[in-house]
Amino acid sequence: DAKTTQPPSMDCAEGRAANLPCNHSTISGNEYVYWYRQIHSQGPQYIIHGLKNNETNEMASLIITEDRKSSTLILPHATLRDTAVYYCIVGPQGGSEKLVFGKGTKLTVNP
Amino acid sequence: GAVVSQHPSWVICKSGTSVKIECRSLDFQATTMFWYRQFPKQSLMLMATSNEGSKATYEQGVEKDKFLINHASLTLSTLTVTSAHPEDSSFYICSAKNTRKETQYFGPGTRLLVL
């Protein structure tokens, strides 16, 4: 079973920031938080991952709470192409372990 | 980059035939690859973990004799669906571990339709 909880759906206006929450209250000390997204009929796309510090890359920012029990993925200026299902997954670093996908959050960016 | 390709992108076959799907890591070597399956309106489910040069590890409930996995090189893993049936129709997705970037990258998926 997935170790994360996400809202099933969210809406966001184009050009605004999209903040996607994720709860992972049972995360272990050596587990990372990974975010992927899946646009319809495509394979998942890696977005970002982190351990306890906030992370930022060209796609998004990841904010992890101090107790590491929850995190937020931020898309700073959402576009229509960001409409997708976003998956928050916890797992060990390295990518050698299987990723357990939950149901994710369906983000719809509206014009 | 971290590009993973799959071939074919879609395939239609008759019941009882076998179908081979290739997964390649284009710009990195992958000692470990994973095969997932996704049915409509559902999330991805891991089928098996493929390690280069050794036998694949299958998840509970996945028939290893039906879904043959070969990982003969550091850039190629293949999944063969043997004696396919309509219930095997699904979206098959592979991922590859990029050691340098310490995460997994996914292929674009292969849609299989068994008639």
Side-chain angles (χ1 to χ4, degrees):
Chain A
D1 288 347
K3 297 175 66 174
T4 61
T5 304
Q6 299 176 252
S9 63
M10 292 183 66
D11 282 86
C12 175
E14 189 178 18
R16 305 297 294 267
N19 299 301
L20 291 91
C22 178
N23 286 325
H24 32 79
S25 58
T26 61
I27 190 170
S28 301
N30 64 345
E31 287 183 317
Y32 284 66
V33 180
Y34 294 86
W35 283 85
Y36 287 82
R37 72 180 182 184
Q38 187 177 25
I39 296 170
H40 184 61
S41 296
Q42 299 181 24
Q45 177 188 22
Y46 166 78
I47 301 172
I48 199 167
H49 75 285
L51 181 63
K52 53 184 177 181
N53 297 322
N54 297 337
E55 303 286 344
T56 296
N57 62 20
E58 63 278 4
M59 289 183 69
S61 294
L62 174 60
I63 308 298
I64 302 174
T65 58
E66 194 169 339
D67 63 9
R68 303 212 318 124
K69 292 185 177 181
S70 65
S71 61
T72 301
L73 178 75
I74 301 173
L75 307 179
H77 304 287
T79 69
L80 298 179
R81 285 191 233 178
D82 292 322
T83 292
V85 178
Y86 286 76
Y87 296 100
C88 168
I89 302 167
V90 298
Q93 188 184 22
S96 60
E97 298 289 329
K98 64 182 181 182
L99 297 178
V100 179
F101 283 77
K103 296 183 178 179
T105 296
K106 174 66 189 294
L107 173 69
T108 302
V109 180
N110 300 303
Chain B
V3 181
V4 177
S5 71
Q6 282 184 240
H7 178 80
S9 56
W10 61 270
V11 57
I12 302 173
C13 70
K14 292 182 179 178
S15 186
T17 61
S18 295
V19 175
K20 180 186 282 189
I21 303 170
E22 294 184 348
C23 176
R24 293 180 185 273
S25 55
L26 298 184
D27 53 358
F28 64 98
Q29 293 184 330
T31 53
T32 305
M33 291 184 173
F34 302 85
W35 286 96
Y36 294 81
R37 182 167 53 180
Q38 185 176 35
F39 291 107
K41 298 189 185 301
Q42 294 186 23
S43 191
L44 282 77
M45 293 294 294
L46 180 70
M47 298 175 67
T49 301
S50 168
N51 293 299
E52 187 266 335
S54 63
K55 290 184 179 180
T57 304
Y58 291 81
E59 294 298 300
Q60 192 173 10
V62 178
E63 299 175 58
K64 62 179 181 175
D65 295 329
K66 180 170 181 62
F67 299 99
L68 302 178
I69 291 173
N70 184 280
H71 193 159
S73 79
L74 289 173
T75 59
L76 174 63
S77 176
T78 60
L79 168 69
T80 301
V81 183
T82 62
S83 187
H85 288 101
E87 57 264 31
D88 298 322
S89 298
S90 188
F91 191 45
Y92 292 86
I93 309 168
C94 72
S95 71
K97 170 194 170 185
N98 185 319
T99 307
R100 218 160 39 88
K101 298 197 176 185
E102 298 180 319
T103 192
Q104 291 180 34
Y105 292 88
F106 286 80
T110 296
R111 195 161 300 280
L112 170 64
L113 176 62
V114 184
L115 301 176

